[in-house]
Amino acid sequence: QSALTQPASVSGSPGQSITIPCTGTSSDVGGHNYVSWYQQHPGKAPKLLINEVSNRPSGVSNRFSGSRSGNTASLTISGLQAEDEAHYYCNSYTSSVTVVFGGGTKLTVL
Amino acid sequence: QMQLQESGPGLVKPSETLSLTCTVSGGSMSGYFWSWIRQPPGKGLEWIGFIHYSGDSNSNPSLRSRVTISIDTSKNQFSLKLNYVTAADTAVYYCARGRVPSDDWGQGTLVTVSS
């Protein structure tokens, strides 16, 4: 199975909004609602930000939002803050009853 | 929120078997999927496999021939065995609750494959 496609890096200034795309196929991102996003700071375990494409778990800031169009899911972070600088990963359930991750995107807050 | 803790050797010799255990606290394992994910140094996350509390499991096709995942709900633990390891298996190994999403994660444990 192939990894989901994410840009290697994105950047934005404090207060701005950025969007990170995650592209898969109709067998994964486009075919199921089980698409999630994670934030990972250096040396730390990933933290769940978004589940089921667009649901925010309790305790996650409403500055984080998820959406999907066709085979591409997206994570949008609004009102960028310095502490948002981290790596972001998407993942998806697949029609083969497996799980696939995106390659990860490094967010730099300028 | 549950707590998960990985344990096992931090150094494994090439061609030997990597064995890790994840101990779950703060709740019951019943009704959940439990996953193993790894991250080579400086690289992204790679899904290894999952197991349901009932024992049903699946793994990454690229690792399937070498991976065994088991569960012992009486001990609140699930385990990973990866056979015939090479340097490419050097990574931080995470255990997590859930399949997609993985809600709760262990802190991760670094396993180095080296002679």
Side-chain angles (χ1 to χ4, degrees):
Chain A
Q1 59 186 24
S2 299
L4 306 177
T5 301
Q6 297 181 234
S9 63
V10 297
S11 63
S13 300
Q16 287 186 332
S17 295
I18 63 96
T19 296
I20 301 173
C22 167
T23 301
T25 70
S26 58
S27 295
D28 40 62
V29 173
H32 305 274
N33 285 335
Y34 294 111
V35 179
S36 297
W37 288 91
Y38 305 85
Q39 177 191 59
Q40 186 181 34
H41 286 107
K44 300 294 187 181
K47 172 191 173 184
L48 177 65
L49 290 179
I50 299 288
N51 63 50
E52 295 185 22
V53 178
S54 60
N55 294 332
R56 224 176 14 256
S58 174
V60 174
S61 170
N62 59 10
R63 297 186 300 106
F64 296 92
S65 62
S67 62
R68 179 180 59 190
S69 177
N71 296 333
T72 298
S74 297
L75 173 71
T76 297
I77 309 174
S78 59
L80 269 180
Q81 299 178 2
E83 59 260 36
D84 298 333
E85 186 161 296
H87 280 87
Y88 292 84
Y89 295 91
C90 59
N91 80 340
S92 175
Y93 183 69
T94 82
S95 57
S96 301
V97 194
T98 61
V99 175
V100 62
F101 276 94
T105 298
K106 179 175 171 55
L107 169 62
T108 300
V109 180
L110 302 171
Chain B
Q1 186 175 3
M2 295 188 191
Q3 292 74 49
L4 295 88
Q5 178 68 58
E6 305 88 353
S7 60
L11 181 64
V12 181
K13 290 182 168 57
S15 80
E16 295 191 345
T17 297
L18 179 159
S19 296
L20 294 174
T21 296
C22 182
T23 301
V24 179
S25 59
S28 170
M29 297 188 78
S30 296
Y32 293 106
F33 285 95
W34 303 91
S35 295
W36 287 101
I37 299 119
R38 71 181 183 179
Q39 185 171 35
K43 296 188 178 181
L45 300 170
E46 180 181 27
W47 174 69
I48 299 172
F50 62 72
I51 189 165
H52 191 246
Y53 84 103
S54 64
D56 290 341
S57 65
N58 203 359
S59 56
N60 191 318
S62 69
L63 300 171
R64 190 168 293 155
S65 63
R66 300 194 290 131
V67 165
T68 302
I69 300 175
S70 58
I71 192 166
D72 186 339
T73 55
S74 68
K75 294 182 179 179
N76 264 26
Q77 294 178 333
F78 63 107
S79 299
L80 169 70
K81 290 188 186 300
L82 181 65
N83 301 327
Y84 307 111
V85 296
T86 70
D89 295 310
T90 293
V92 173
Y93 284 76
Y94 294 100
C95 60
R97 177 176 69 91
R99 193 168 52 176
V100 181
S102 291
D103 300 271
D104 299 314
W105 295 62
Q107 64 185 22
T109 187
L110 175 63
V111 179
T112 301
V113 178
S114 175
S115 55

